[in-house]
Each structure stands twice: as C-alpha cells, then as structure tokens.
Amino acid sequence: MSTDLLGIVSGERHRTHEQIADNTARASTVFDAAGVGSGDAVVLMLRNDFAFIEASFAAGALGAYPVPLNWHYKGDEVTHVLVDSGAKVLVVHADLLPQAAPAVPPGVQVLVVATPPEIASAYSLSPAQTEVPAGSLDWELQLSAAQPWTQPRRVAPGAMLYTSGTTGKPKGVRRDAPVENAPNPKQAFFEKVGLRPGVRSVVTGPMYHSAPNTFGLTAAALQGLVVLQPRFEPVECLEMIERYGLDLVHMVPTMFIRLLRVPESVRNGFDLSTLRHVIHGAAPCPPDVKRAMISWLGPVVDEYYGGTESGAVVACNSEEWLAHPGTVGTTLPNCEVRIYDDAGGVLETGEIGEVFMVNRVMADFTYQHRATDRAAIGRDGLISCGDIGELDADGFLYLRDRKRDMIISGGVNIYPIEIEACLLGHPGIRDCAVFGIPDPEYGEAIAAAVEREPGELAPLSAEDIRSYVRLHLAGYKVPKVVDFPPSLPREDSGKIFKRKLRDAYWPEGRAI
C-alpha cells in the first residue's frame, strides 16, 4: 500500500502537484495568448486526464469559465456548447477530435491532447487514434514552449456546466464570480464528506458531470492524492483503493450495485480499511443496496442531495440514514428546503410535493442566454431541480421521484423509483428503468425495461417480473409492459437515459 504518494495518478503515469502547477501556469499563458480573459470560456472535451485539471485551473487563473463538454457529443451538440458559451479555446483529446473538428466555429482555437495509454486501453482505441494529427496545436508542445503565467490570479468563477438537456438543448449554468476572499459556500459540505487538505481520492465518473468535476478538482486543489479512473470498473476501483490507501471515493448508486455483484470472496480480499468516506449522490439509491454497502464497508457511506444549479444542500452520514432509512439527509448550514404543491403553496410535514432549495451563501447563477428558463425554476428565492419529495418531523428529506418521471395512471400518482428499487432486489435483474407510456383508458400505464443478469439458465419472463412486483407492492404498481433490452442506454456516470426509452412510446412528446 502506497500512502505517501502525492499528486495526480492516471494509469501508470504520475505528476506531482508542482508539475501540475507549472503546467497550469504555462496553460494560462497559452490561453491568454488566445484572447481568454475574465468571463470568457475554455471548453474541455476531455476524458479524465491531467490536462482536464490543468486546463480547468488555468482558465480559473484568468477569471475564465472552464466548460466541461460531454465527450459523447457530435455535430450540432458540440457547436451549440461552443457557440452558446462564447468559447475562445477548445481543448480536446486526439481520439475525440474527428467528431469535434467539423463542429468548431471560426475563431475558436483548438488545442489537441494526445490520448494516454490508460484511456486508450479503457476505450479500445488504436494507436493512430491517440496521436495528435500533424498540423494541429499539440497541448504538450504549446505548454513546453510557453513561459509560466506570473501575473496575479483573477477571481475564478468556477466551471460552467451544461445540463444534460432532457427537455431541449443543454443549458449552461453560469454562476457569478464569488467575492474575493469570501467564505467558501461549500465548506460545510466538504467538511461533512471528508474533503479536507491531504485527502486521498479516486475519480470514478467522467469529469464533465457536476459531482465528479467538483470532487476531482477540489481534491486536486487540496494537495493530497487524486487517482483518475478512465472508466469505472469495480474490481479495478477496489485495487486502486488498496494500492494507494485512498480515504474518499465518490460514486453513484449504479456503481454500488456493480460493486456488490463482485463475489464476496473477491471483494473481501481487498484491504479497504483506509476508507473514511464513500460519498454518493446524483441518483436515488435503493435502500437494500445502501444497507448492503454499509454492512460491507461500515458506517462510512455518506449521501448528499442538490443539483448543478444549487450545489449540495442536504446531506447525511450512515448513522443518520440508518435512523431514517431512505432519507437523503437534512439541510446543511445556510441552506433551506421547502416542499411546494402545484399551486405554489408550501406543504406541511409528510406531504409530497416539488422540492425547492437554496444555499444562501452561494453565488447566484443564470442559464447562459436563457434568463426565462432561469426564472421558471425559481420560487420565493429558492429553485427546483424537478424532484418530488417530502420532509419528516425531524427535518429529513425523502425523495420520491423526478417530477417528469412520475406516472399518473387513472388519477393516481405512481413513483417509478419505488418499483425500480423493488425490481433491483431480484437476483436475476442487473438493472432496470420504469417509466410511463400512453394508455387510452388510464392516461398512462407502467412500463419496465429490464436488463437481465447474464448467465441465468432460465431467463426471466415478463410474467416473472409482474409476479415479483405483485408480491412486494400494490397491484396498481405492477408494470403493464415489460421489455428486455440487451442493455440500457446510460451515461458514463451510470445514470440511465430514461428519456431514450420513453420517447419510443411518446413520439410527439409527453405532457409532463
């Protein structure tokens, strides 16, 4: 176990904090020469790599926004983010350049990063795909030729992250730059989940997502050790924790499920005693899965709730969760949560409605060029990320579902998350998604897309699924339609693209 190594690790490569700082300073000079200044944007079409961290810090030093770009995007998707953000520079991995280059508008400088071996291996890339093409501006060569930036740092506004665009084109969450030397609005959250100086962490999800971005860049700034995993693989992740003596890891519930499906004899063969915080968010975690994680790892599983727009607002540790099963926690200092009904009234304890929240010391935000959309999610100084939930008498928040995912069948509200949690308890089911489809009589009916566990001798049938749900839940929650796709469409974070499943049944769009 190597517990004295500091810096950033990716595969077999290692950079010290001093090397990262030097490259960051050189990158600031390169960006400045390209015309990047306060309030401008540097777009990062990069997988988890040193360059992601260096370019993010370099943009911040100039008072500019680093803008992580979902590297699955192509064509108009890429153009939209580059134009909407007002990008001056695009930093892109070599293997992603072919899908990005035709979409780059005039005036945007493109810097190409050679794709490293560990990423090439994780994504089965050929050597030719990883090389910087002749005639392109090579990131490493540009940095080596530049002098380090020596002018005073400007106030960094933080990353401008683009939402996933489930209801239209992605929206850039542009936050006002914080007041210089003002208190860090995230400090209470960081303390609760173990993001402290010297933290030793692994980044398991793609850093174009809000949470891996925040955790990865914050951990890198705290001068401990950050291990970049190019693509989540459960056994490799356990190996990294043991090898580097890691004490913090951020995950999403799908990763928990994959870890728990590693045979116990394999899981228990790793020394995970250094872990102090296993943090999860981004999606609700089935209670049985969370109990199993706590039982395996001990009371080190922390949960939080918030959004790209709000930051973390609610959190709980293992002890709090076990005392309030299913909760996502209570509000952090300077934060507030209220539950509203559709008419705008504040609901009482135990009543289910839309969750609105605010972190009152966090800099305000707008959606880039979409002030109307920003106004639409606000109410009484709070904002909604589209979730439905309730507060109990002790102030603990429980999420019931996404507002757009809720099924209304015959006037009854049905929450897919409850049915999904039930299905994930079946040993023959690897993953699932439950959603509403049109029904001529009831308005909506329940559909379930089920990914079977491979290797089953007698594959599950639709009736097996219905019988299992009927055994555990009320009859009106039994899926009417059950599909068995070979795999579910998902983001790299593990989150399922439920919209892609639902759209096949709602060709003209759904009312909610």
Side-chain angles (χ1 to χ4, degrees), residues 123-401:
Y123 292 93
S124 303
L125 303 174
S126 69
Q129 291 175 284
T130 67
E131 298 170 357
V132 177
S136 300
L137 293 177
D138 185 306
W139 170 259
E140 294 290 348
L141 293 180
Q142 293 294 306
L143 265 54
S144 63
Q147 292 298 312
W149 180 262
T150 57
Q151 296 185 35
R153 283 185 57 90
R154 298 166 190 160
V155 180
M160 176 161 49
L161 293 135
Y162 274 75
T163 64
S164 56
T166 53
T167 57
K169 287 187 180 296
K171 300 186 290 289
V173 180
R174 182 182 181 119
R175 201 172 298 282
D176 299 333
V179 177
E180 196 163 9
N181 300 320
N184 186 343
K186 300 178 181 177
Q187 192 60 44
F189 171 61
F190 289 164
E191 285 294 322
K192 190 173 181 79
V193 300
L195 270 171
R196 305 181 184 96
V199 66
R200 306 177 67 80
S201 182
V202 57
V203 180
T204 57
M207 291 176 71
Y208 64 73
H209 279 297
S210 177
N213 185 279
T214 297
F215 276 85
L217 294 180
T218 302
L222 290 171
Q223 300 288 293
L225 177 70
V226 178
V227 181
L228 302 175
Q229 189 172 25
R231 192 175 195 172
F232 180 73
E233 197 285 316
V235 173
E236 180 187 60
C237 185
L238 298 176
E239 290 170 345
M240 289 174 169
I241 294 168
E242 179 181 68
R243 178 179 178 183
Y244 297 107
L246 304 182
D247 54 53
L248 182 149
V249 57
H250 178 278
M251 294 185 172
V252 294
T254 298
M255 295 175 182
F256 287 176
I257 292 168
R258 291 183 62 188
L259 282 165
L260 291 168
R261 285 177 175 165
V262 174
E264 279 193 58
S265 58
V266 176
R267 279 193 276 128
N268 293 337
F270 291 98
D271 179 1
L272 308 179
S273 60
T274 56
L275 279 176
R276 297 290 178 268
H277 298 273
V278 178
I279 307 148
H280 71 100
C285 184
D288 288 349
V289 170
K290 183 147 183 178
R291 283 193 187 89
M293 288 294 293
I294 296 172
S295 176
W296 170 31
L297 298 175
V300 299
V301 184
D302 302 323
E303 186 167 358
Y304 69 92
Y305 167 69
T308 302
E309 293 87 346
S310 66
V313 174
V314 166
C316 68
N317 58 30
S318 294
E319 290 87 351
E320 290 168 326
W321 189 91
L322 289 169
H324 299 80
T327 186
V328 291
T330 56
T331 51
L332 292 161
N334 301 303
C335 296
E336 182 180 1
V337 171
R338 295 183 206 158
I339 311 297
Y340 284 82
D341 61 24
D342 290 339
V346 179
L347 295 174
E348 300 295 328
T349 296
E351 293 186 304
I352 297 175
E354 189 168 359
V355 180
F356 282 76
M357 57 194 166
V358 66
N359 183 334
R360 298 200 185 280
V361 296
M362 202 161 189
D364 198 13
F365 77 96
T366 188
Y367 290 126
Q368 180 83 329
H369 302 138
R370 296 168 77 166
T372 301
D373 289 337
R374 166 64 180 91
I377 67 167
R379 182 168 288 170
D380 301 334
L382 288 74
I383 62 169
S384 168
C385 291
D387 291 304
I388 296 171
E390 64 180 298
L391 290 164
D392 71 11
D394 297 320
F396 283 84
L397 176 65
Y398 299 77
L399 298 181
R400 296 310 177 198
D401 223 313

Side-chain angles (χ1 to χ4, degrees), residues 422-423 425-427 463-473:
C422 170
L423 289 171
H426 194 296
E463 189 49 45
D464 291 333
I465 299 298
R466 295 189 189 96
S467 296
Y468 186 79
V469 175
R470 193 176 290 112
L471 183 66
H472 294 86
L473 299 175

